[in-house]
Amino acid sequence: MEMNIALLPGDGIGPEVIAQAVKVVKAVGQKFGHTITFKEGLVGACAIDATGDPYPDATHEICAGSDAVLFGAIGDPKYDNDPKAKVRPEQGLLRMRQKLGLFANVRPTFTFPSLVHKSPLKLDRVDGVDLVFFRELTGGVYFGEPRGRNEQGTKAFDTNVYSKEEIVRLARMGFEAAQKRRKLLTCVDKANVMATSRLWRETVQELAPEYPDVKVEYEFVDAVAMRLIQWPKAYDVLITENLFGDILTDEASVISGSMGLMPSASLGSKVKLFEPIHGSYPQAAGKDIANPLGTVLSASMMFDYAFGLAEEAKLISDVVNLSLAEGVVTEDIAEGGKAHKTSEVGDWLAAKILG
Ligand code: IPM
Ligand code: MG
């Protein structure tokens, strides 16, 4: 198969973790006889430095012209500590999601057999967890207008807004995923307080009869925040709005043992995007210590979701599991064992694929 992949390493540890995913993707291409072409673009703080724009048109053209986008991370402390900055790296990511029409962010949470004992949670709670969030990605308070400050600058406001159509298309993806899994869908909202959440709940209630094999539960986001840690096995597919999904998926990553492990896929249009859920981890940038597995597993999702190549996807997740079992891991999960470099983990995975 011919594959055109856009690479957007972004900021912080982004370039290092993307480099490992590229080694793995190339190895898979070689093994299975795929022709893979990479084109690289700038996004985030590095794009602001180079062009003044966190998502330059040139980058959008590369993404729009590709089959899939592999994205690293975005963000730089110099902007985090300057709330008055007019241009922010994160705007690049948001614009990219919006311009590419990526309205659904699929974020699985699962455990790895050889890591499960390292979870800060009790073994019986996390062993065998297998849940997936469908986070709405191009709506809600991230994009709602008006937003800003009053003239004196003493009041600030954001607007949370959802249309029925935005909820329907996300919810349908959740229902369909649940049908292929354990047939349980949880609608996460704050319908006891927010009008947008009441529209979510009402819309999901209307759709439910079309999926009679799926059991639907409705839970408030604060309760989910608690139960997700207390009893994560209670969940299968969770659907939720943009902000709730952002927060809960960071929380859920603790279940697997490290944020560096969790991949994601952003879907909704022809071009699909794959990215680890972690941030740019600026303290580690350039040190060759960051965990590349979230990005490598995002590449695995890419083979599956963007190209329908399940065997290639499985091979990647199998070698990732093998690296964990054999202790070829970075310092965040080494726990007393040898801490391997980011690049060593990537080399090891690529060699195993070809071996
Ligand atoms: C994520 C990140 C982004 C988000 C940031 C970097 C804008 O936290 O992908 O979860 O909030 O969506
Ligand atoms: Mg986040």
Side-chain angles (χ1 to χ4, degrees), residues 5 55 58 92 105 133 186 223 231 246 266 268 277-278 320:
I5 299 173
Y55 185 55
N105 188 213
F133 277 90
T186 308
W231 200 243
D246 178 48
S266 300
I277 79 158
H278 62 66
V320 164

Side-chain angles (χ1 to χ4, degrees), residues 97-159:
R97 289 170 176 169
Q98 196 178 39
K99 284 182 83 171
L100 293 172
L102 303 166
F103 65 81
N105 188 213
V106 188
R107 295 189 167 187
T109 295
F110 46 86
T111 51
F112 300 87
S114 50
L115 274 191
V116 71
H117 62 282
K118 290 190 183 160
S119 170
L121 304 174
K122 288 201 174 117
L123 184 64
D124 71 312
R125 302 304 165 106
V126 295
D127 193 18
V129 168
D130 176 18
L131 56 89
V132 59
F133 277 90
F134 280 72
R135 165 190 175 193
E136 202 290 327
L137 204 57
T138 51
V141 76
Y142 275 61
F143 294 94
E145 298 284 349
R147 58 174 55 230
R149 299 236 183 148
N150 66 353
E151 263 172 35
Q152 301 77 18
T154 51
K155 250 190 200 174
F157 45 89
D158 297 287
T159 305

Side-chain angles (χ1 to χ4, degrees), residues 15 65 126 165 192 196 219 238 256 332:
V126 295
E165 189 195 342
N192 50 349
T196 40
E219 260 188 75
L238 301 98
S256 62
D332 53 316

Side-chain angles (χ1 to χ4, degrees), residues 232-251:
K233 280 187 259 191
Y235 297 107
D236 179 17
V237 177
L238 301 98
I239 55 172
T240 193
E241 64 148 87
N242 206 342
L243 182 63
F244 298 161
D246 178 48
I247 298 167
L248 291 177
T249 52
D250 268 29
E251 187 193 346

Side-chain angles (χ1 to χ4, degrees), residues 70-264:
L70 254 183
F71 168 72
I74 226 169
D76 191 300
K78 77 179 178 219
Y79 296 94
D80 295 343
N81 300 329
D82 176 11
K84 293 220 159 85
K86 288 234 153 45
V87 188
R88 313 186 62 81
E90 289 78 6
Q91 290 164 346
L93 179 57
L94 301 191
R95 238 185 321 122
M96 176 169 74
R97 289 170 176 169
Q98 196 178 39
K99 284 182 83 171
L100 293 172
L102 303 166
F103 65 81
N105 188 213
V106 188
R107 295 189 167 187
T109 295
F110 46 86
T111 51
F112 300 87
S114 50
L115 274 191
V116 71
H117 62 282
K118 290 190 183 160
S119 170
L121 304 174
K122 288 201 174 117
L123 184 64
D124 71 312
R125 302 304 165 106
V126 295
D127 193 18
V129 168
D130 176 18
L131 56 89
V132 59
F133 277 90
F134 280 72
R135 165 190 175 193
E136 202 290 327
L137 204 57
T138 51
V141 76
Y142 275 61
F143 294 94
E145 298 284 349
R147 58 174 55 230
R149 299 236 183 148
N150 66 353
E151 263 172 35
Q152 301 77 18
T154 51
K155 250 190 200 174
F157 45 89
D158 297 287
T159 305
N160 196 17
V161 54
Y162 269 107
S163 70
K164 206 159 181 147
E165 189 195 342
E166 287 173 305
I167 302 166
V168 167
R169 63 187 186 180
L170 188 278
R172 283 201 188 284
M173 279 196 184
F175 274 109
E176 283 160 23
Q179 283 183 319
K180 293 190 201 116
R181 294 172 47 99
R182 299 195 305 280
K183 302 186 173 44
L184 173 65
L185 183 85
T186 308
C187 172
V188 183
D189 62 37
K190 188 73 186 168
N192 50 349
V193 176
M194 294 166 68
T196 40
S197 280
R198 285 193 283 277
L199 184 62
W200 269 78
R201 198 171 275 218
E202 182 188 305
T203 305
V204 175
Q205 280 168 348
E206 282 167 16
L207 287 176
E210 291 184 41
Y211 306 88
D213 51 334
V214 177
K215 179 168 183 251
V216 187
E217 288 180 344
Y218 301 88
E219 260 188 75
F220 298 138
V221 61
D222 46 353
V224 174
M226 181 189 68
R227 272 227 298 159
L228 192 57
I229 287 299
Q230 203 178 35
W231 200 243
K233 280 187 259 191
Y235 297 107
D236 179 17
V237 177
L238 301 98
I239 55 172
T240 193
E241 64 148 87
N242 206 342
L243 182 63
F244 298 161
D246 178 48
I247 298 167
L248 291 177
T249 52
D250 268 29
E251 187 193 346
S253 74
V254 174
I255 294 165
S256 62
S258 167
M259 228 182 134
L261 291 166
M262 288 291 104
S264 85

